[in-house]
């Protein structure tokens, strides 16, 4: 059996080679990890440069200590062994040795602590920012709200762009960044200080971009902040590096650093896009309109837990046949708005029309045939009060 599996693997590799494509072909990720990368990603902020230099300094110090300690040890073993006629010395204490192995490590620690402290203090200095962005972690996406500076008022969600079935199905063709691409990247101007205010609405997440030297936890009920100032235009990638749930690996972060002119163009376009998508909560929709809109909202926000077929999985309940979904609509509206159990509150993430559409879709999808089969945005708006 083992031989058959090995033979099958060899034949598969041979087929790739015959097609002119190595079975192990992998390329560097633009703004992300590189093939056979042994060190940090190339830094593009001053803090990242300092971290890189500190890392190198610590490695050199550790290497010197390693060579010194083991050099003395092996020299002593080889040059003072019994076969050469040496006899062990008998002594109980040495004031000189005691002082040396106390003072020397102390000086080494001070030599490492001073530059490290300087960098840590600089990492926490979020004053005089040109741009302030609120970052909200949620399972499994990021919410970005531009609070201060050019672009103030812009708000959007950033989710893994690769369809879930493509991620988990090994037969599907994937691009090089299929776990590191998002539908709405954060966009910031080059050479401007960006302050990030971080929190979460469910569990602990962690916002990380290695090239920026930024790693900051987003904790429910707390507000943390950090900053970066990118010095080079480009696309930079990271991920949530906190174990935030079963789909933790599908929560990437992408930041596009652009020129001032391109940033101005992006903010103008984003504001127009938001204005065009703004929904009037007093508008009356037909059930078919809400179902169509609701399917899009459900697939983008809810399917990752409840699955597109509504069957759920693990700790996430099935919506197909669920008594709340098929019961009075007021209970489902309250649950979606305020959350329940492991389900987060969606009232600060989705607007009234999106919530009404998602609820209407679930009450009419799969095997569900709720008697109260439609929810209007005005009902969601009233439930918020």
């Amino acid at each position: 059996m083992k031989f058959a599996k090995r033979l099958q693997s060899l034949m598969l590799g041979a087929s790739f080679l015959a097609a002119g494509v190595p079975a192990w072909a992998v390329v560097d990720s633009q703004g992300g990890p590189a093939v056979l990368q042994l060190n940090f990603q190339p830094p593009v902020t001053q803090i990242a440069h300092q971290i890189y230099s500190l890392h190198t300094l610590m490695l050199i110090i550790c290497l010197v200590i390693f060579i010194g300690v083991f050099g003395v040890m092996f020299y002593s073993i080889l040059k003072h062994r019994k076969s050469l006629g040496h006899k062990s010395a008998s002594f109980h204490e040495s004031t000189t040795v005691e002082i040396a192995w106390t003072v020397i490590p102390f000086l080494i620690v001070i030599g490492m602590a001073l530059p490290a402290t300087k960098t840590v203090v600089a990492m926490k200095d979020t004053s005089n920012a040109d741009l302030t962005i609120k970052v909200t972690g949620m399972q499994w996406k990021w919410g970005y709200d531009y609070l201060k500076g050019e672009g103030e008022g812009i708000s959007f969600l950033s989710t893994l762009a690769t369809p879930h079935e493509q991620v988990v199905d090994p037969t599907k063709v994937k691009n090089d960044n299929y776990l590191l691409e998002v539908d709405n990247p954060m966009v910031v101007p080059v050479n401007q200080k960006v302050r990030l205010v971080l929190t979460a609405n469910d569990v602990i997440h962690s916002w990380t971009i290695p090239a920026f030297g930024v790693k900051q936890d987003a904790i429910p009920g707390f507000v943390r902040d950090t900053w970066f100032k990118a010095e080079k235009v480009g696309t930079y990638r990271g991920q949530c590096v906190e174990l935030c749930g079963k789909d933790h690996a599908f929560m990437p972060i992408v930041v596009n650093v652009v020129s001032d002119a391109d940033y101005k163009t992006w903010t103008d376009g984003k504001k127009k896009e938001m204005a065009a998508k703004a929904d009037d909560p007093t508008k009356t929709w037909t059930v078919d309109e809400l179902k169509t809109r609701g399917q899009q909202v459900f697939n983008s926000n809810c399917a990752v837990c409840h699955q597109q077929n509504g069957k759920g999985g693990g700790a996430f309940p099935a919506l197909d046949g669920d008594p709340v979904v098929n019961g009075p609509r007021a209970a489902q509206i309250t649950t979606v708005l305020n959350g329940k159990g492991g389900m987060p509150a969606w009232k600060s993430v989705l607007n009234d029309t999106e919530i009404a559409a998602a609820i209407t879709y679930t009450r009419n999808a799969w095997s569900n045939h709720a008697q109260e089969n439609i929810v209007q945005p005005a009902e969601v708006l009233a439930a918020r009060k």
Side-chain angles (χ1 to χ4, degrees):
M1 180 64 70
K2 291 183 178 179
F3 176 77
K5 289 184 177 179
R6 290 179 180 176
L7 181 60
Q8 185 179 14
S9 298
L10 289 172
M11 293 177 64
L12 180 61
S15 66
F16 275 101
L17 291 173
V21 180
W24 58 86
V26 181
V27 300
D28 294 349
S29 173
Q30 179 189 4
V35 178
L36 301 179
Q37 179 178 324
L38 298 178
N39 212 328
F40 292 170
Q41 293 181 18
V44 294
T45 68
Q46 282 298 318
I47 292 295
H49 278 288
Q50 292 179 32
I51 293 173
Y52 195 104
S53 298
L54 282 169
H55 171 70
T56 304
L57 174 64
M58 303 301 179
L59 282 179
I60 293 173
I61 292 174
C62 291
L63 180 62
V64 170
I65 294 173
F66 177 86
I67 293 173
V69 171
F70 280 89
V72 171
M73 185 181 73
F74 284 115
Y75 173 82
S76 301
I77 292 172
L78 295 173
K79 295 297 183 179
H80 299 84
R81 61 189 185 274
K82 184 178 180 180
S83 61
L84 295 180
H86 289 275
K87 295 182 180 181
S88 60
S90 297
F91 59 90
H92 296 285
E93 58 190 28
S94 171
T95 303
T96 302
V97 172
E98 293 284 352
I99 294 175
W101 70 27
T102 300
V103 172
I104 293 175
F106 177 77
L107 295 176
I108 293 173
V109 170
I110 293 299
M112 293 190 296
L114 289 177
T117 301
K118 178 181 177 182
T119 298
V120 170
V121 171
M123 291 170 67
K124 298 301 180 182
D125 182 13
T126 60
S127 61
N128 301 317
D130 300 301
L131 188 66
T132 300
I133 302 175
K134 178 186 176 184
V135 180
T136 305
M138 57 196 80
Q139 294 176 310
W140 284 269
K141 58 176 69 65
W142 295 98
Y144 297 118
D145 299 284
Y146 287 60
L147 303 181
K148 180 183 176 183
E150 188 172 359
E152 181 177 340
I154 291 176
S155 178
F156 58 90
L157 295 176
S158 181
T159 310
L160 178 69
T162 310
H164 191 264
E165 62 273 12
Q166 184 177 339
V167 171
V168 299
D169 188 348
T171 65
K172 300 288 186 180
V173 177
K174 304 172 177 61
N175 65 36
D176 297 323
N177 294 309
Y178 76 98
L179 287 180
L180 294 172
E181 59 182 1
V182 298
D183 51 1
N184 289 305
M186 176 193 289
V187 179
V188 298
V190 70
N191 290 322
Q192 290 196 29
K193 186 172 183 178
V194 180
R195 179 185 180 222
L196 302 181
V197 181
L198 298 103
T199 188
N201 70 355
D202 38 43
V203 298
I204 298 176
H205 301 276
S206 190
W207 197 92
T208 304
I209 296 287
F212 294 169
V214 172
K215 178 186 179 295
Q216 182 63 66
D217 285 354
I219 305 173
F222 293 84
V223 175
R224 314 289 296 279
D225 67 346
T226 186
W227 69 278
F228 64 87
K229 184 178 181 181
E231 301 173 336
K232 185 179 179 182
V233 171
T235 298
Y236 303 98
R237 305 179 190 275
Q239 288 178 298
C240 174
V241 293
E242 194 67 62
L243 294 175
C244 58
K246 74 178 185 68
D247 285 333
H248 155 72
F250 306 146
M251 195 171 170
I253 303 162
V254 178
V255 178
N256 287 343
V257 179
V258 299
S259 66
D260 291 341
D262 288 342
Y263 181 70
K264 171 67 174 174
T265 301
W266 178 81
T267 56
D268 291 343
K270 200 68 177 178
K271 288 180 179 180
K272 291 178 181 178
E273 177 186 326
M274 290 174 60
K277 289 183 176 180
D279 293 307
D280 180 4
T282 63
K283 176 184 175 180
T284 300
W285 296 63
T286 67
V287 65
D288 289 334
E289 289 174 334
L290 286 171
K291 284 165 57 179
T292 301
R293 176 77 177 274
Q295 185 174 15
Q296 298 173 349
V297 176
F298 181 88
N299 289 341
S300 298
N301 299 276
C302 314
V304 68
C305 295
H306 299 290
Q307 300 189 49
Q308 290 188 4
N309 58 11
K311 299 298 183 183
F316 305 106
L319 300 184
D320 186 9
D322 183 73
V324 175
V325 176
N326 286 284
R329 56 181 179 261
Q332 189 178 5
I333 293 173
T334 301
T335 299
V336 175
L337 278 174
N338 302 313
K340 183 178 181 181
M343 176 179 173
W346 289 96
K347 59 185 177 183
S348 60
V349 180
L350 302 176
N351 64 32
D352 300 323
T353 299
E354 290 170 329
I355 292 176
I359 293 175
T360 300
Y361 169 71
T362 61
R363 299 175 81 82
N364 292 274
W366 316 302
S367 65
N368 295 335
H369 298 287
Q371 184 175 359
E372 298 179 2
N373 70 330
I374 184 171
V375 173
Q376 293 292 345
E379 297 177 75
V380 179
L381 177 62
R384 287 182 185 269
K385 300 177 180 179

